[in-house]
Amino acid sequence: MRTLETWFAEYAVSHQNKTNILIHFICVPAIYFSIVGLLMSIPNGFLASIIPGNNQFIENWAFVVLLFVLFFYVRLSVKMALQILIFSALCIIANYYIGQYAPLWMVSLGIFVAAWLGQFYGHKLEGKKPSFLKDLQFLLIGPGWVIQKMFGKK
């Protein structure tokens, strides 16, 4: 099993261009945020029927999927898992409130498309293919890499 540092080092190989890195700092969190929104847009009747109480922050498909994302990170680093947990919670809360004022799936889809266009533009500047084309697990590594780059020790 690869360590978090190994994943980050491999991810960094195709993320050297400063403009591409800046684009990733914006677009990777936006993609993550939009996926949370899209998952929260899936009807949750089944979840509401099996989860006791009435809590819209956990009675949604994003919460279920994010449990698996957290499991992925816990195996690599508890500290990073906690950082991803905080970011995920903020995404759920913000998406919940967006959904109170606008069709969440439409807003999320717009963010998703715009952010992926930015990502592909960044990789065009970089001159290297996105890492996830080599291994889909890099789709999970990207958010951690951005957090580590932004908030980790310099």
Side-chain angles (χ1 to χ4, degrees), residues 83-150:
Q83 292 171 319
I84 292 292
L85 173 64
I86 292 166
F87 180 60
S88 298
L90 292 172
C91 288
I92 286 175
I93 292 166
N95 274 295
Y96 171 79
Y97 286 109
I98 289 170
Q100 301 302 303
Y101 301 101
L104 182 57
W105 74 270
M106 290 176 73
V107 172
S108 298
L109 186 61
I111 293 169
F112 184 83
V113 169
W116 272 110
L117 289 172
Q119 288 285 88
F120 285 116
Y121 176 72
H123 279 286
K124 181 177 171 95
L125 293 175
E126 182 82 44
K128 294 183 180 153
K129 294 179 183 176
S131 300
F132 76 87
L133 294 175
K134 179 178 168 186
D135 187 335
L136 285 176
Q137 292 180 85
F138 280 111
L139 290 171
L140 293 174
I141 292 300
W145 182 81
V146 168
I147 288 171
Q148 184 265 338
K149 283 292 224 182
M150 293 177 79

Side-chain angles (χ1 to χ4, degrees), residues 16 26 89:
Q16 298 294 313
I26 297 165

Side-chain angles (χ1 to χ4, degrees), residues 54-66:
N54 183 20
N55 187 334
Q56 296 301 310
F57 296 111
I58 63 171
E59 289 177 2
N60 63 72
W61 291 104
F63 182 84
V64 174
V65 170
L66 290 171

